[in-house]
Amino acid sequence: MIDTSTTYMGLRLKNPLVASSSPLCKDVANIRKMEDAGIAAVVLHSLFEEQINAESLELDRFLSRSTESYAESLNYFPDMTRYNIGPDAYLEHIRKAKETVKIPVIASLNGVSAGGWVRYARLMQEAGADGLELNIYLMPTDPEMTGEKVEQNYIDLIRHVMANVRIPVAVKFGPYFSSIPNFCRKVDQTGVDALVMFNRFYQPDFDIETLEVTPALSLSDTNTLLLRLHWVALLHGHLRADMAVTGGVHTVHGLIKCMLAGAKIAMSTSCFLRYGIGYGTQIVEQLKEWLEEHEYESVEQMQGSMSVKHATNAGIFERANYMRVLSSYTMPEARRL
């Protein structure tokens, strides 16, 4: 019997396929479909720091004051009355999800500062969440802010959240640090249970006719996965915390690559948006077939088997791979005009 189970954040999952945080998770009916499709756990859509702070209307007043002189900048910010679904409603959503499904339900808290809003981490725990994913979306814009200060802000926020809960905590962050291994070690030393790699930073576009800033969100593609595989393979065996991959996992092949690199789970949303939630059933079945065909008895047996853990010098490995990639390109034949 092939064992597809894995552990993540101390939770035992029936397989490594997890639904990442997305609007799909706003509907309990969708979460039930995810469970029926064999998806092992779900990360709920995020509750944002701004949503919690908006209850006092301080954010609305701040935005109004700061944009009076530059009308064009108003469209950088969301309409908070429409954007805010309400912290209390989010907590109730956790309760309903837990009543509906048996798979783990992981709450998501998105913020950048160690403020009073962090108390909602404890409220999520009390609502029944099996774990918490702290999604830190911080893009420094102040030229005076050093990289060291940026990293310290992350660490302070993580520690603040960790002090408020007993349930397992994962930290989701972006890849834009001068030294990913060093930063991951700092995060690991806070005692978090998992690192989620990586957050995607979404950039708005400019409409040159209306002179407005327009949102531009595109789904990930399979090329998105490569950066995640790279760092998970390099860090496997060097961190105490589990690692999860999110971004670019569209097929069973992507999921398998994540496991071989050393991840404990692979998260996906784009494939469910493209092919439907039921696509999860196909991925799970194909995973079993691949394990049997390649004579693996379990997922845990394959995890990390293609990591850089056993390389004598990771730096030399990196340089060698870099040169191999460059030399692998084949020049196409010139087209006739």
Side-chain angles (χ1 to χ4, degrees):
M1 175 71 77
I2 301 295
D3 182 6
T4 61
S5 66
T6 186
T7 57
Y8 177 64
M9 301 171 65
L11 303 170
R12 193 71 183 176
L13 307 182
K14 58 186 178 181
N15 64 65
L17 180 61
V18 172
S20 57
S21 178
S22 78
L24 279 176
C25 304
K26 289 183 177 182
D27 189 338
V28 173
N30 284 338
I31 298 175
R32 183 188 292 112
K33 291 178 182 177
M34 292 173 182
E35 181 180 47
D36 292 342
I39 296 170
V42 58
V43 182
L44 299 180
H45 60 290
S46 291
L47 177 63
F48 288 82
E49 173 183 349
E50 289 81 359
Q51 291 176 263
I52 298 170
N53 292 339
E55 286 195 325
S56 64
L57 299 181
E58 291 180 0
L59 183 60
D60 277 337
R61 288 200 297 270
F62 169 76
L63 294 180
S64 297
R65 287 199 306 270
S66 62
T67 56
E68 287 175 353
S69 301
Y70 301 95
E72 291 87 352
S73 63
L74 280 167
N75 56 73
Y76 275 96
F77 302 102
D79 176 0
M80 295 307 294
T81 59
R82 178 172 57 87
Y83 184 68
N84 185 4
I85 62 170
D88 292 338
Y90 190 93
L91 298 175
E92 182 60 27
H93 184 63
I94 295 174
R95 297 186 187 99
K96 289 181 178 178
K98 286 297 298 177
E99 291 173 356
T100 304
V101 298
K102 295 180 180 179
I103 58 175
V105 174
I106 300 170
S108 177
L109 193 58
N110 188 310
V112 296
S113 63
W117 63 277
V118 172
R119 69 187 179 88
Y120 272 84
R122 185 168 60 251
L123 295 177
M124 291 173 174
Q125 172 182 278
E126 294 172 358
D130 296 289
L132 173 66
E133 182 175 282
L134 178 58
N135 187 341
I136 306 179
Y137 192 100
L138 171 60
M139 181 64 78
T141 57
D142 183 355
E144 299 299 320
M145 179 174 282
T146 65
E148 183 180 9
K149 178 60 177 176
V150 171
E151 293 186 8
Q152 191 58 50
N153 285 351
Y154 274 75
I155 300 304
D156 290 344
L157 176 54
I158 293 167
R159 286 176 174 160
H160 196 180
V161 170
M162 294 284 291
N164 277 270
V165 296
R166 299 182 306 276
I167 55 176
V169 175
V171 177
K172 185 177 181 180
F173 53 92
Y176 302 113
F177 294 92
S178 60
S179 174
I180 289 288
N182 182 263
F183 176 68
C184 288
R185 185 178 67 176
K186 290 178 181 178
V187 174
D188 191 38
Q189 289 172 345
T190 66
V192 298
D193 299 274
L195 281 66
V196 182
M197 302 176 187
F198 289 111
N199 206 340
R200 293 175 65 201
F201 283 92
Y202 300 100
Q203 293 86 34
D205 199 357
F206 287 0
D207 188 319
I208 62 174
E209 298 300 328
T210 64
L211 302 184
E212 292 183 346
V213 177
T214 58
L217 192 156
S218 59
L219 299 180
S220 69
D221 57 38
T222 53
N223 289 327
T224 307
L225 180 60
L226 300 180
L227 179 68
R228 281 92 178 141
L229 292 178
H230 175 95
W231 285 113
V232 170
L234 280 170
L235 291 168
H236 176 69
H238 297 286
L239 302 174
R240 173 200 50 80
D242 295 334
M243 288 186 289
V245 169
T246 182
V249 181
H250 289 244
T251 66
V252 69
H253 301 112
L255 184 148
I256 291 167
K257 290 175 184 178
C258 293
M259 299 302 102
L260 293 172
K264 289 298 188 76
I265 64 166
M267 298 185 185
S268 186
T269 288
S270 293
C271 70
F272 303 133
L273 291 171
R274 284 193 172 103
Y275 310 122
I277 294 172
Y279 183 61
T281 302
Q282 181 177 325
I283 293 178
V284 173
E285 289 303 315
Q286 289 175 338
L287 173 63
K288 294 176 182 177
E289 293 171 3
W290 188 92
L291 289 169
E292 184 173 5
E293 180 181 342
H294 291 78
E295 299 182 347
Y296 283 103
E297 296 180 357
S298 67
V299 164
E300 292 182 342
Q301 183 185 1
M302 66 187 269
Q303 285 171 331
S305 60
M306 288 189 67
S307 71
V308 192
K309 179 180 179 181
H310 303 295
T312 56
N313 188 313
I316 293 177
F317 176 88
E318 277 286 281
R319 290 289 298 176
N321 188 60
Y322 169 69
M323 290 185 288
R324 286 180 62 192
V325 170
L326 291 179
S327 62
S328 67
Y329 182 76
T330 303
M331 291 290 293
E333 293 183 6
R335 294 183 179 179
R336 294 183 177 179
L337 296 178

